[in-house]
Amino acid sequence: MAGPGGGSGSGPGGSPQHGFVGRSGRDGALLALARAGDTRAVPLLARALEEREVRRELLYAMDGLGPSAAMLAPLLRRRLAEVELDERLYDRAAPLLYALAAVRGSQAVPEVLRVLRGAPANRRDWVRESALRTLAAFGPAAQEAVPDMRGLLAAESATVATAAARALWAAEGDLGEVLTALERWLWPGASGADWCSAAQALGEIGPAAASAAPALGPGLASRDLWVRVRSAAALWRVSGDATAALPVLLAAWEENRHARVDVAECLAEMGPAASGAQLVILTELTRRRRHNAREGASGSHDIHLDEKLLTVCRAALARMERGAF
C-alpha cells in the first residue's frame, strides 16, 4: 500500500521521535539513485536512516535496490521498534514496513509482529495489510507469525484477509486454507476493490493456484476496468491462459492509460504468448508524448512511472522477439 502522511512527534517524556517528512536538495539526488537501483545509494541511505527525520519517499524507493540493500535492515528494524503504537502508527510504520519488505529484512519479524498486533483502531486494517505484506516478503522466515496470519484469514476486510492468505502461503506453502480464504471474495456481489485484492493475491501465488482459474473468469467481463485487469493478469499467472487474458489486457491498455504499467508487466511475463501485442508496445516506445503527461499538472512519481513503463515495454518486446525465432 502506498504510504502518505506522517511527521515528527514526541515519544515518552517529550523526547523527539524519529519522523518521516519531505525535504529537497540532497534527498532528491538520493531518491533518483535509489529508484534507479544504483547501489551507491545504499551507504547514503544508511546515513539518512541515522538522522532524526527521513524522507518517506526514500523508504518507498528501496524496492529499486532490493536485497542489495540488506545492510539497511538492522537500521530499519531499530526505527520500527521505536514507533509508538498510537493513532499515527500507519503514517510512521508503513514506510518502514515497505522498506523492510524490499530488503528482505526478515530479522525484523518480532518488530513487525509488534505492529501487527498493536495496531490501534485508527486505520487498523491499513496497518495490518502493510505488516502482512512485509511478512509475505519474508517467506518461510516468518514462521513465527503463522498463527497471526491464520487468525486474520477470516478478517472482515478483504485487503487484510487476502494479505493474510498470501503471507500464509509464503510462510508455509500450503494452499489448504489459503484458496478458500481468497475465493470467498470472488463472487458476483463483491466490490471491485475486494475482488481485485483476491485476484492479485492469487496471481502472486501463481501456478499453484491453478484450481482458482474458473473463479477468476467472471472478472474478465466486469464493468470495472481494474477488476478486468487484475482478473486477466491473475488468470495468466495461475493458468497460463493467454487466449482469454490478452484481449482483456489490450482493451484496458487503450481504455485507461494509467493501467499501462500493470498491463505491460503482465505482457512481459507472457513473452511469446503476447506476440499479438508487439505493435502496441512499439507504438508506446516511439511516442513522444508520454502516457501520463497532463496539461498544467505533474506529480512526483510521473517520470519514475513512465520510465518504469518504458523499461517494462522494452523487456516485453525483447521476450516477444526472442520467441519469434
Side-chain angles (χ1 to χ4, degrees):
M1 181 180 296
S8 59
S10 294
S15 60
Q17 184 176 15
H18 292 306
F20 306 100
V21 300
R23 292 199 306 277
S24 58
R26 177 204 64 185
D27 284 354
L30 179 51
L31 182 60
L33 277 177
R35 283 177 171 170
D38 193 318
T39 56
R40 290 177 295 178
V42 175
L44 299 174
L45 286 167
R47 189 180 307 169
L49 286 167
E50 294 284 6
E51 296 178 0
R52 178 178 175 274
E53 295 176 345
V54 180
R55 184 173 173 177
R56 290 190 309 276
E57 289 89 345
L58 291 175
L59 297 168
Y60 284 112
M62 287 189 190
D63 55 353
L65 296 164
S68 67
M71 65 166 285
L72 300 176
L75 292 170
L76 293 165
R77 180 184 184 186
R78 189 191 74 201
R79 294 194 75 132
L80 186 62
E82 294 170 350
V83 172
E84 295 287 345
L85 302 178
D86 58 18
E87 295 301 300
R88 299 180 67 188
L89 177 61
Y90 176 76
D91 292 329
R92 292 168 172 161
L96 293 165
L97 290 166
Y98 188 93
L100 278 165
V103 305
R104 302 296 190 267
S106 59
Q107 62 265 52
V109 167
E111 287 74 23
V112 177
L113 276 175
R114 182 183 78 95
V115 170
L116 178 68
R117 295 167 179 169
N122 183 43
R123 296 193 283 186
R124 176 175 291 150
D125 289 344
W126 293 15
V127 173
R128 286 176 169 174
E129 182 192 2
S130 294
L132 288 164
R133 285 188 175 278
T134 302
L135 293 170
F138 295 166
Q143 276 288 327
E144 179 185 348
V146 163
D148 296 84
M149 298 169 188
R150 186 166 281 117
L152 290 171
L153 288 178
E156 294 181 5
S157 162
T159 57
V160 173
T162 57
R166 176 68 185 89
L168 186 60
W169 162 253
E172 289 197 323
D174 183 356
L175 281 176
E177 300 168 87
V178 169
L179 285 185
T180 301
L182 292 175
E183 288 183 351
R184 76 183 176 101
W185 300 103
L186 300 177
W187 59 286
S191 74
D194 291 353
W195 186 290
C196 286
S197 293
Q200 281 188 281
L202 287 167
E204 290 169 4
I205 291 171
S211 64
L216 289 164
L220 302 180
S222 172
R223 296 176 61 183
D224 185 318
L225 175 136
W226 286 106
V227 169
R228 297 197 302 273
V229 170
R230 303 299 185 210
S231 298
L235 183 63
W236 159 256
R237 288 165 180 154
V238 304
S239 72
D241 185 354
T243 303
L246 186 58
V248 176
L249 293 171
L250 292 180
W253 178 286
E254 296 298 336
E255 182 179 340
N256 187 335
R257 58 200 170 100
H258 297 295
R260 290 182 183 177
V261 173
D262 296 82
V263 172
E265 286 179 331
C266 195
L267 296 178
E269 293 173 20
M270 289 180 170
S275 58
Q278 277 186 304
L279 181 58
V280 168
I281 297 296
L282 281 168
T283 300
E284 185 64 42
L285 290 172
T286 55
R287 287 174 73 243
R288 296 184 64 184
R289 182 174 175 80
R290 300 313 312 137
H291 85 285
N292 54 359
R294 293 172 288 171
E295 293 292 343
S298 64
S300 62
H301 284 69
D302 286 354
I303 294 175
H304 174 62
L305 285 175
D306 190 60
E307 288 294 329
K308 181 177 181 179
L309 175 62
L310 293 174
T311 299
V312 178
C313 282
R314 293 186 192 105
L317 188 62
R319 290 204 63 207
M320 292 174 196
E321 290 175 343
R322 282 200 299 270
F325 297 101

